[in-house]
Amino acid sequence: MAKTFKYIILGGGVSAGYAAREFAKQGVKPGELAIISKEAVAPYERPALSKAYLFPESPARLPGFHVCVGSGGERLLPEWYTEKGIELILSTEIVKVDLAAKSLISAGGETFSYQILIVATGSTVIRLTDFGVEGADAKNIFYLREVDDADKLYEAIKAKKNGKAVVVGGGYIGLELSAVLKLNNIDVTMVYPEPWCMPRLFTAGIAEFYEEYYKNKGVNIIKGTVAVGFTSNSDGEVKEVKLKDGRVLEADIVVVGVGGRPQTALVKGQVEEEKGGIKTDAFFKTNLSDVYAVGDVATFPLKLYGELRRVEHVDHSRKSAEQAVKVSSLPKFVSSCTKYIFIIAPACPL
């Protein structure tokens, strides 16, 4: 017997939490809305994982950073969803989506049906094992996406006190984790192939400012090369990082932040796609009138550039979710095109 809801949000990240808050503002009735997430906890502010969650003293922990505290709003504890009559279906992985039948099937065999679906599945990290990098499956090579990932990294930092870390990648994750590792008295080396950090957003001059700041704090930066292999000790823990330019770096911990892939596989071939994401209009509606896509998975018309773009940024995750809910819950809703202000600087705790 299928569980039936008027609205289902597929995914339990930042977008899901902000969408739920907007649904409540729009007067969603008890029992009409469900959030289905493979994570075991209610939606939280994911950026905390690369910053305060890893602080050496008084680290952030749930329930302290559930949405919507990241934008200065109310913290939505699990009880809030109960009070609003919103069903949180956690630890549940959806393995099949049939948009024609308006149904979702979980790994446990449960079926969920909906009238309107909001796809908020986010991204998955790109792993070096995906490219067959030698030794990339060694212990203490970390990726950061969920609370479980942050817990494992936190324990490794404590176990390898005063050790050496290599951070692979020069984007948001690389910069933020390099800073927080340094706060933990870890010797940090950043490695990335680009001529400067965050090249998609930073000019050479802005990047130089950040790079000099990090160097003054003791972070070593190696540019213009990549990690091509890893060696391990007898316990299977990473010991060295081999670089393409021939250098070998000692490492007790490796953190990889080389980007993510939008999780669109469940709806592939059922909706229009563009630039790696699900194509939407300015209201985040897909070519199917009962399906919306928000956050990392949405490729939408960005007025600033006059073209379709996919944006991986927490501010976009919040605002696109709110925009989609306003339209999906109020069919006659009239709004101007979505406006975004991006804060491009990484949050640096150094």
Side-chain angles (χ1 to χ4, degrees):
M1 189 74 179
K3 282 189 173 183
T4 302
F5 300 93
K6 184 175 182 180
Y7 306 101
I8 288 181
I9 302 170
L10 177 56
V14 172
S15 288
Y18 280 80
R21 183 179 68 168
E22 189 60 40
F23 268 119
K25 288 180 181 179
Q26 298 296 335
V28 70
K29 296 176 182 178
E32 285 189 332
L33 171 63
I35 295 174
I36 304 178
S37 173
K38 69 176 183 179
E39 291 195 69
V41 294
Y44 57 88
E45 300 284 1
R46 208 176 292 280
L49 300 182
S50 59
K51 293 181 275 292
Y53 202 89
L54 301 173
F55 281 2
E57 297 180 10
S58 303
R61 289 293 180 271
L62 290 173
F65 57 97
H66 280 299
V67 297
C68 300
V69 295
S71 61
E74 176 188 1
R75 184 170 45 140
L76 308 186
L77 299 172
E79 299 81 57
W80 179 88
Y81 297 89
T82 302
E83 292 167 3
K84 299 296 182 182
I86 298 170
E87 189 160 347
L88 270 180
I89 304 172
L90 304 176
S91 302
T92 301
E93 182 181 5
I94 296 299
V95 295
K96 183 179 180 182
V97 173
D98 188 332
L99 298 182
K102 296 188 177 184
S103 70
L104 316 175
I105 300 176
S106 74
E110 300 169 285
T111 300
F112 305 92
S113 62
Y114 62 85
Q115 293 180 35
I116 293 176
L117 177 68
I118 297 180
V119 181
T121 44
S123 295
T124 185
V125 295
I126 295 173
R127 298 176 179 272
L128 297 183
T129 49
D130 297 342
F131 306 103
V133 175
E134 178 190 4
D137 56 350
K139 296 176 183 177
N140 290 344
I141 297 179
F142 298 97
Y143 301 83
L144 191 62
R145 181 67 186 174
E146 301 176 355
V147 166
D148 287 348
D149 301 323
D151 284 337
K152 292 172 185 175
L153 178 55
Y154 183 81
E155 291 305 316
I157 291 170
K158 296 305 175 188
K160 302 296 183 181
K161 191 173 182 179
N162 301 319
K164 295 183 177 183
V166 173
V167 177
V168 179
Y172 276 113
I173 293 296
L175 286 169
E176 292 176 357
L177 286 176
S178 292
V180 80
L181 285 164
K182 195 63 187 176
L183 285 180
N184 281 274
N185 293 318
I186 300 291
D187 181 22
V188 181
T189 299
M190 292 182 69
V191 178
Y192 46 91
E194 298 87 0
W196 61 77
C197 65
M198 294 188 65
R200 288 190 299 172
L201 292 176
F202 285 178
T203 63
I206 293 174
E208 183 181 10
F209 170 82
Y210 275 96
E211 290 172 353
E212 286 303 312
Y213 184 84
Y214 272 59
K215 289 175 184 177
N216 290 336
K217 293 294 183 177
V219 176
N220 183 35
I221 297 177
I222 299 175
K223 298 181 282 187
T225 190
V226 295
V228 294
F230 303 88
T231 62
S232 306
N233 62 22
S234 58
D235 294 323
E237 298 178 339
V238 68
K239 183 176 69 173
E240 294 173 329
V241 182
K242 299 177 182 178
L243 303 184
K244 189 175 183 179
D245 65 10
R247 279 180 278 187
V248 178
L249 307 176
E250 293 182 19
D252 302 297
I253 295 170
V254 173
V255 185
V256 182
V258 292
R261 291 192 180 96
Q263 298 195 88
T264 61
L266 287 171
V267 297
K268 198 165 189 65
Q270 301 182 71
V271 289
E272 290 183 6
E273 297 178 60
E274 185 82 23
K275 296 182 178 179
I278 300 168
K279 184 180 179 182
T280 76
D281 63 15
F283 304 106
F284 299 96
K285 182 185 291 187
T286 70
N287 62 305
L288 302 179
S289 62
D290 52 7
V291 180
Y292 294 75
V294 297
D296 291 359
V297 298
T299 301
F300 65 102
L302 191 54
K303 192 173 182 180
L304 177 65
Y305 297 103
E307 65 180 24
L308 290 171
R309 286 203 176 187
R310 194 176 62 81
V311 175
E312 295 178 6
H313 193 282
V314 66
D315 191 48
H316 166 63
S317 294
R318 294 165 180 154
K319 291 179 179 177
S320 60
E322 293 169 343
Q323 178 89 330
V325 171
K326 289 173 182 176
V327 179
S328 65
S329 59
L330 297 174
K332 295 182 181 180
F333 176 78
V334 178
S335 170
S336 61
C337 290
T338 307
K339 296 178 180 178
Y340 295 105
I341 299 175
F342 293 115
I343 301 173
I344 63 173
C348 172
L350 280 175

